Amino acid sequence: MSDLLRIENLEVVYNDVVLVLKGLSLAAEAGKITALLGANGAGKSTTLKAISGLLEGEDGAITDGAVLLDGQAVHGRPPEEIVRRGVFQVMEGRRIFQDLNVEENLRCGAFTRPRGEFRESLDKVYGYFPRLKERRRQIAGYMSGGEQQMLAIGRAIMARPRLLLLDEPSLGLAPLLVEEIFEIIQRFNQAEGVTVLLVEQNARVALSVASRGYIMEGGRIVMDGAAEELLGNPDVQEFYLGMGASGQRKSYRNIKHYRRRKRWLG
Amino acid sequence: MHYYLQLLINGLVVGGIYSLVALGFVVIYKATQVVNFAQGELVMAGAYVCFSLTVQFHVPFLWAFLMTLGFSVLLGLAVERLALRPLIGESTISVIMVTIGLSSVLKSLVQLVWGTQIKVFPQVLPAEPLFLAGVPIAPVYLAAFVLSALLFAVFSLFFKYSRLGVAMRATAFDQQAAQSMGIGIKNIFALSWCIACVVSGVGGVILGNINGINSQLGYLGLKVFPAVILGGLDSLAGAALGGLIVGVLENLCDGLAKDFLGLSGFKEVAAFVVLVLILMIKPYGLFGSREIERV
């Protein structure tokens, strides 16, 4: 199978001094869900913004490496051009336009698409999220967190991307809602064949829908493999799924834990 | 009584012009968070260009008016590209200082080209007054009011229903999120300056037809501040109403002060007095948006 997205030795620097990505490489296979996991500050969001071009407004710059979409370099291009090439990022924290109503938010998602397909896309979004249809004239800022996340994903569906970048869709949602959202992401992926790169803290949920996973620490990839493989890996179980190596809850008294983790990060 | 009715009508007409200029101000503020201190000078630029075309180059008024609109678009693009774009990412205060500088530059350019004498537009509409409910109204007043209202309606519909208008509101709310939708925010900034220049230019042409123009026209910008702050910095409806209120208030207060206190010149301060009072009661202005907070 071919990779829709390839990242090669990517280096990103913020404010000319802070090196956040230190030679990161990964690939997202076309039509599949790829999970990118890691602790806070590992550089997951930065990776997504480097792909979508949104580093620009944050004083971040790609200093080395390449982002290849279908083999063509897209790094350094302005975000609007990257969106037009079929890459759409759902940003962390949902970032909906709170002053606009639901349908106006969805229109923004379809900004780069021909007007003729708007109706059809809208019906599709309402098919996935019937609740948005009920609220289509409501000011988005007054909706619940779950509904706002649905709206954020709805905007992405409106854009009909080839590559969907999802930044922590589970953030701040109740467990049942998380399941619902991930189920819809999976459906969207299967129905439209859209490639998904998923950044998550919730490793268990992410690996349950993904076919492949990468684990980041300190700005580089430290481990990758098929999702089932990672789920079964004792280190992943211990550091990300909160289980002891043998399946029981871990004890911090165990010094070996720190040694192993340290070796891992090195 | 008749006198006050006349003042009211004057106020509405002048207020309509304030509203137009305030519209430009609000559009820039909404899209780019820049408080544009050069708004009054954009009015002046439009007025002088139209004057120049009709009087010095003998272009028929309607054509001159359309060409002024075209010029305003170009002016907006130039200002955005040369003065504002290099400042993207700089602090708000730097950008505001640049708009103050811009106002000086524009004013000086106008004085350089056209001098400081008052200029009078040729009579475009008949001077014969129309009678509305027994009150005489100059046709130019009526035209001014209708034109302002029309432009306002057009822009309200634009922001509500057109894709670009919705994108502008989205950009106003969250620039980075707008970028993630594929909205080119630099184009949005340029567009907002164009709109501001066009409405200001129209305001300038109308003013020129009513009062004639001189190089002090830019101070109109000062009157627009109370209007926008009154209405709430980021509300179109607020700009419309704020402009009308300021226009009517300053005319009525002026009349009252002359009649009862024997004071003249109250016109210049009336708007600010009311502004202070209203802000004490409603600090966000009449229509300004507060942050939405979910509980």
Side-chain angles (χ1 to χ4, degrees), chain B residues 128-191:
Chain B
E128 201 68 4
L130 298 165
F131 284 89
L132 218 68
V135 183
I137 302 173
V140 62
Y141 274 36
L142 203 62
F145 192 74
V146 170
L147 192 57
S148 308
L150 201 69
L151 267 181
F152 239 95
V154 166
F155 279 108
S156 301
L157 292 175
F158 170 75
F159 281 112
K160 184 71 194 150
Y161 294 110
S162 82
R163 172 144 96 179
L164 211 51
V166 172
M168 284 185 83
R169 283 160 58 210
T171 308
F173 185 79
D174 185 338
Q175 291 179 7
Q176 199 183 29
Q179 277 186 306
S180 80
M181 306 284 118
I183 297 168
I185 57 170
K186 285 174 183 159
N187 297 338
I188 297 285
F189 291 173
L191 181 65

XYZ file of all heavy atoms in Angstrom, chain B residues 128-191:
487
model
N -33.862 72.844 -5.272
C -35.277 72.980 -4.874
C -35.624 71.942 -3.796
O -35.436 70.750 -4.010
C -36.145 72.714 -6.114
C -37.528 73.268 -6.059
C -37.558 74.797 -6.095
O -36.473 75.436 -6.246
O -38.630 75.333 -5.969
N -36.081 72.380 -2.619
C -36.347 71.403 -1.560
C -37.579 70.554 -1.820
O -38.526 70.998 -2.480
C -36.531 72.264 -0.314
C -36.981 73.573 -0.836
C -36.353 73.753 -2.180
N -37.529 69.321 -1.328
C -38.714 68.463 -1.325
C -39.413 68.677 0.006
O -38.785 69.041 0.991
C -38.293 66.994 -1.430
C -37.546 66.588 -2.689
C -36.897 65.231 -2.484
C -38.501 66.556 -3.873
N -40.731 68.444 0.015
C -41.432 68.596 1.284
C -41.880 67.250 1.825
O -42.581 66.493 1.144
C -42.642 69.540 1.121
C -42.198 70.965 1.055
C -41.875 71.547 -0.167
C -42.076 71.720 2.216
C -41.432 72.851 -0.229
C -41.648 73.034 2.148
C -41.319 73.608 0.921
N -41.419 66.951 3.021
C -41.792 65.697 3.651
C -42.575 66.052 4.905
O -42.016 66.599 5.855
C -40.530 64.918 4.016
C -40.615 63.391 3.807
C -40.688 63.079 2.330
C -39.424 62.712 4.446
N -43.863 65.785 4.899
C -44.737 66.136 6.030
C -44.600 67.616 6.362
O -44.557 68.012 7.532
C -44.424 65.284 7.255
N -44.519 68.432 5.321
C -44.479 69.873 5.536
C -43.102 70.427 5.874
O -42.929 71.623 5.987
N -42.120 69.532 6.031
C -40.773 70.009 6.351
C -39.934 69.999 5.078
O -39.877 68.996 4.390
C -40.106 69.097 7.396
C -38.747 69.636 7.780
C -41.002 68.962 8.606
N -39.308 71.109 4.757
C -38.485 71.125 3.542
C -37.184 70.354 3.738
O -36.511 70.507 4.754
C -38.205 72.617 3.347
C -38.323 73.206 4.707
C -39.312 72.384 5.469
N -36.863 69.520 2.782
C -35.617 68.759 2.840
C -34.891 68.915 1.519
O -35.485 68.725 0.454
C -35.890 67.259 3.073
C -36.685 67.056 4.365
C -34.590 66.483 3.145
C -37.133 65.636 4.563
N -33.627 69.227 1.578
C -32.845 69.327 0.351
C -32.689 67.929 -0.240
O -32.433 66.979 0.498
C -31.479 69.934 0.659
N -32.845 67.808 -1.557
C -32.728 66.482 -2.187
C -31.405 65.797 -1.851
O -31.358 64.577 -1.691
C -32.812 66.794 -3.679
C -33.565 68.060 -3.754
C -33.222 68.839 -2.526
N -30.346 66.599 -1.748
C -29.049 65.990 -1.485
C -29.048 65.304 -0.117
O -28.435 64.258 0.077
C -27.912 67.030 -1.607
C -28.073 68.137 -0.596
C -26.556 66.362 -1.461
N -29.805 65.866 0.834
C -29.913 65.240 2.154
C -30.590 63.888 2.049
O -30.151 62.894 2.626
C -30.712 66.135 3.119
C -29.873 67.174 3.805
C -28.823 67.788 3.134
C -30.125 67.544 5.111
C -28.062 68.746 3.759
C -29.367 68.497 5.754
C -28.331 69.096 5.071
O -27.573 70.027 5.702
N -31.689 63.919 1.286
C -32.458 62.687 1.133
C -31.596 61.622 0.460
O -31.528 60.471 0.899
C -33.707 62.981 0.291
C -34.857 62.001 0.494
C -35.338 62.050 1.937
C -35.999 62.335 -0.453
N -30.903 62.037 -0.604
C -30.058 61.100 -1.341
C -28.975 60.537 -0.435
O -28.682 59.337 -0.452
C -29.437 61.795 -2.547
N -28.415 61.414 0.388
C -27.356 60.981 1.291
C -27.868 59.901 2.235
O -27.229 58.864 2.440
C -26.834 62.168 2.099
N -29.051 60.162 2.780
C -29.584 59.218 3.749
C -29.907 57.875 3.095
O -29.580 56.810 3.620
C -30.840 59.805 4.408
C -31.272 59.026 5.604
C -30.564 59.116 6.794
C -32.364 58.175 5.540
C -30.946 58.393 7.896
C -32.746 57.437 6.644
C -32.036 57.547 7.821
N -30.537 57.950 1.920
C -30.907 56.717 1.224
C -29.664 55.917 0.847
O -29.602 54.701 1.035
C -31.738 57.035 -0.045
C -31.905 55.797 -0.900
C -33.087 57.597 0.362
N -28.641 56.620 0.363
C -27.417 55.940 -0.053
C -26.747 55.242 1.144
O -26.320 54.081 1.050
C -26.458 56.957 -0.676
C -25.255 56.386 -1.419
C -25.704 55.457 -2.523
C -24.405 57.508 -1.994
N -26.693 55.936 2.275
C -26.106 55.327 3.475
C -26.876 54.075 3.863
O -26.288 53.025 4.135
C -26.136 56.301 4.659
O -25.573 57.516 4.310
N -28.205 54.210 3.885
C -29.033 53.078 4.298
C -28.819 51.900 3.359
O -28.689 50.747 3.778
C -30.497 53.488 4.327
N -28.737 52.219 2.062
C -28.575 51.171 1.057
C -27.257 50.425 1.252
O -27.216 49.189 1.275
C -28.600 51.827 -0.329
C -28.954 50.901 -1.484
C -30.416 50.490 -1.367
C -28.694 51.600 -2.799
N -26.189 51.188 1.412
C -24.882 50.556 1.611
C -24.879 49.678 2.849
O -24.312 48.588 2.867
C -23.803 51.624 1.762
C -23.092 52.026 0.491
C -22.043 53.075 0.780
C -22.418 50.804 -0.142
N -25.548 50.190 3.880
C -25.603 49.416 5.107
C -26.321 48.103 4.906
O -25.879 47.054 5.370
C -26.299 50.213 6.209
C -25.418 50.387 7.360
C -24.670 51.525 7.496
C -25.280 49.380 8.282
C -23.795 51.663 8.540
C -24.410 49.506 9.335
C -23.673 50.657 9.467
N -27.427 48.172 4.186
C -28.187 46.954 3.931
C -27.331 45.968 3.151
O -27.270 44.777 3.466
C -29.459 47.301 3.158
N -26.635 46.480 2.127
C -25.815 45.601 1.300
C -24.770 44.886 2.150
O -24.609 43.664 2.069
C -25.122 46.403 0.179
C -24.010 45.587 -0.463
C -26.138 46.828 -0.866
N -24.091 45.639 3.016
C -23.038 45.004 3.800
C -23.584 44.059 4.856
O -22.984 43.032 5.148
C -22.111 46.055 4.413
C -21.105 46.534 3.427
C -21.188 47.801 2.893
C -20.099 45.698 2.997
C -20.269 48.234 1.950
C -19.176 46.111 2.056
C -19.265 47.390 1.530
N -24.743 44.410 5.408
C -25.335 43.492 6.382
C -25.636 42.150 5.726
O -25.337 41.087 6.281
C -26.616 44.074 6.966
O -26.329 45.291 7.583
N -26.220 42.206 4.521
C -26.524 40.961 3.808
C -25.243 40.219 3.464
O -25.161 39.000 3.586
C -27.309 41.262 2.524
C -28.726 41.796 2.749
C -29.372 42.182 1.437
C -29.566 40.778 3.490
N -24.223 40.976 3.057
C -22.945 40.378 2.709
C -22.372 39.575 3.881
O -21.956 38.427 3.736
C -21.972 41.479 2.284
C -20.547 41.029 2.131
C -20.168 40.281 1.030
C -19.589 41.353 3.075
C -18.850 39.856 0.883
C -18.276 40.942 2.943
C -17.907 40.193 1.837
N -22.398 40.166 5.067
C -21.812 39.480 6.223
C -22.669 38.320 6.700
O -22.174 37.384 7.304
C -21.592 40.456 7.376
C -20.374 41.293 7.189
C -20.475 42.648 6.967
C -19.118 40.719 7.216
C -19.351 43.426 6.768
C -17.984 41.480 7.022
C -18.108 42.837 6.794
N -23.955 38.403 6.418
C -24.840 37.354 6.907
C -24.860 36.163 5.940
O -24.845 35.016 6.363
C -26.249 37.930 7.077
C -27.260 36.975 7.683
C -26.996 36.729 9.163
C -27.799 35.539 9.647
N -27.151 34.825 10.727
N -24.896 36.446 4.632
C -25.207 35.367 3.702
C -24.088 34.966 2.743
O -24.101 33.862 2.237
C -26.449 35.731 2.881
C -27.678 35.818 3.750
C -28.292 37.028 4.014
C -28.197 34.670 4.346
C -29.403 37.102 4.839
C -29.301 34.731 5.169
C -29.905 35.950 5.414
O -30.983 36.008 6.235
N -23.141 35.863 2.456
C -22.151 35.447 1.458
C -21.052 34.632 2.136
O -20.771 34.789 3.317
C -21.549 36.669 0.779
O -20.537 37.201 1.594
N -20.451 33.766 1.348
C -19.409 32.906 1.883
C -18.235 33.739 2.390
O -17.690 33.494 3.460
C -18.948 31.963 0.770
C -17.753 31.167 1.141
C -17.830 29.794 0.561
N -17.118 29.701 -0.682
C -17.023 28.582 -1.381
N -17.624 27.485 -0.972
N -16.355 28.558 -2.501
N -17.878 34.755 1.606
C -16.743 35.591 1.999
C -17.057 36.372 3.274
O -16.207 36.534 4.149
C -16.433 36.553 0.847
C -14.989 36.963 0.675
C -14.076 35.765 0.644
C -14.832 37.785 -0.590
N -18.305 36.836 3.367
C -18.696 37.583 4.560
C -18.626 36.718 5.805
O -18.111 37.139 6.848
N -19.111 35.496 5.681
C -19.058 34.567 6.822
C -17.595 34.274 7.166
O -17.208 34.244 8.334
C -19.822 33.267 6.493
C -19.612 32.239 7.593
C -21.308 33.563 6.339
N -16.768 34.116 6.118
C -15.342 33.861 6.360
C -14.699 35.040 7.081
O -13.829 34.861 7.937
C -14.626 33.604 5.036
N -15.132 36.259 6.753
C -14.576 37.425 7.442
C -14.935 37.405 8.914
O -14.121 37.717 9.779
C -15.097 38.723 6.808
C -14.439 39.046 5.492
S -14.957 40.630 4.833
C -13.881 41.742 5.736
N -16.177 37.025 9.209
C -16.563 36.959 10.623
C -15.795 35.859 11.338
O -15.394 36.012 12.498
C -18.071 36.724 10.731
C -18.868 37.986 10.460
C -20.300 37.669 10.086
N -20.985 36.914 11.106
C -21.965 36.041 10.865
N -22.377 35.848 9.629
N -22.541 35.415 11.836
N -15.586 34.749 10.639
C -14.825 33.651 11.235
C -13.400 34.116 11.548
O -12.866 33.855 12.625
C -14.803 32.454 10.299
N -12.796 34.813 10.596
C -11.435 35.313 10.800
C -11.392 36.266 11.985
O -10.451 36.262 12.771
C -10.945 36.040 9.537
O -11.129 35.180 8.426
C -9.485 36.412 9.658
N -12.443 37.073 12.105
C -12.493 38.016 13.217
C -12.484 37.268 14.537
O -11.874 37.691 15.504
C -13.742 38.883 13.121
N -13.141 36.123 14.563
C -13.238 35.414 15.832
C -11.948 34.674 16.178
O -11.499 34.698 17.313
C -14.413 34.433 15.831
C -14.581 33.788 17.178
C -15.205 34.463 18.203
C -14.061 32.527 17.423
C -15.324 33.903 19.452
C -14.170 31.957 18.673
C -14.807 32.644 19.691
N -11.357 33.990 15.190
C -10.185 33.169 15.490
C -9.363 33.011 14.215
O -9.698 32.224 13.339
C -10.638 31.797 16.018
C -9.465 30.924 16.459
O -8.338 31.162 16.010
O -9.702 29.999 17.261
N -8.279 33.783 14.137
C -7.520 33.811 12.889
C -6.915 32.459 12.545
O -6.965 32.019 11.402
C -6.412 34.866 12.979
C -6.960 36.277 13.000
C -5.878 37.301 13.105
O -4.687 36.995 13.045
N -6.268 38.551 13.258
N -6.334 31.796 13.549
C -5.656 30.541 13.234
C -6.658 29.470 12.815
O -6.416 28.723 11.867
C -4.839 30.068 14.434
C -3.782 29.070 14.018
C -3.004 28.535 15.197
O -3.516 28.452 16.314
N -1.763 28.159 14.958
N -7.803 29.425 13.520
C -8.816 28.453 13.135
C -9.321 28.759 11.722
O -9.569 27.850 10.934
C -9.964 28.459 14.126
N -9.444 30.036 11.392
C -9.879 30.401 10.045
C -8.863 29.910 9.022
O -9.219 29.361 7.981
C -10.065 31.911 9.932
N -7.576 30.068 9.354
C -6.533 29.561 8.448
C -6.665 28.062 8.249
O -6.458 27.546 7.160
C -5.156 29.845 9.034
C -4.645 31.221 8.769
C -3.223 31.365 9.245
O -2.917 31.085 10.406
N -2.349 31.786 8.371
N -7.018 27.362 9.321
C -7.118 25.910 9.215
C -8.288 25.495 8.334
O -8.365 24.359 7.904
C -7.228 25.266 10.601
O -8.549 25.347 11.088
N -9.216 26.423 8.054
C -10.318 26.132 7.129
C -9.896 26.398 5.686
O -10.695 26.249 4.763
C -11.528 27.037 7.397
C -12.060 27.046 8.796
S -13.010 25.593 9.182
C -11.997 24.954 10.490
N -8.680 26.916 5.497
C -8.249 27.282 4.157
C -8.621 28.701 3.778
O -8.566 29.075 2.618
N -9.018 29.495 4.775
C -9.326 30.900 4.508
C -8.011 31.673 4.503
O -7.265 31.613 5.475
C -10.273 31.459 5.595
C -11.606 30.720 5.558
C -10.488 32.954 5.406
C -12.501 30.985 6.751
N -7.717 32.361 3.407
C -6.474 33.130 3.331
C -6.656 34.419 4.108
O -7.283 35.355 3.628
N -6.095 34.475 5.314
C -6.446 35.624 6.152
C -5.822 36.918 5.633
O -6.353 37.990 5.882
C -6.092 35.401 7.638
C -4.631 35.093 7.821
C -6.929 34.290 8.232
C -4.238 35.106 9.286
N -4.736 36.810 4.881
C -4.174 38.045 4.321
C -5.148 38.671 3.332
O -5.320 39.886 3.289
C -2.844 37.751 3.641
C -1.745 37.527 4.666
C -0.456 37.088 4.038
C 0.552 36.810 5.139
N 1.631 35.941 4.665
N -5.800 37.822 2.548
C -6.804 38.348 1.625
C -7.965 38.974 2.379
O -8.524 39.985 1.963
C -7.336 37.229 0.725
C -6.250 36.658 -0.147
O -5.237 37.319 -0.388
N -6.436 35.429 -0.600
N -8.326 38.337 3.493
C -9.424 38.871 4.293
C -9.051 40.254 4.845
O -9.864 41.186 4.819
C -9.758 37.911 5.460
C -10.233 36.554 4.933
C -10.779 38.524 6.400
C -11.618 36.530 4.385
N -7.792 40.381 5.307
C -7.359 41.685 5.814
C -7.441 42.731 4.701
O -7.948 43.830 4.906
C -5.911 41.615 6.314
C -5.749 40.795 7.558
C -4.493 40.514 8.058
C -6.856 40.310 8.237
C -4.339 39.762 9.217
C -6.714 39.552 9.384
C -5.446 39.275 9.875
N -6.928 42.366 3.525
C -6.942 43.311 2.412
C -8.371 43.706 2.077
O -8.685 44.878 1.872
C -6.258 42.694 1.196
N -9.244 42.708 2.058
C -10.643 42.975 1.729
C -11.264 43.929 2.747
O -12.018 44.838 2.387
C -11.415 41.652 1.701
C -12.890 41.753 1.357
C -13.079 42.249 -0.057
C -13.575 40.409 1.536
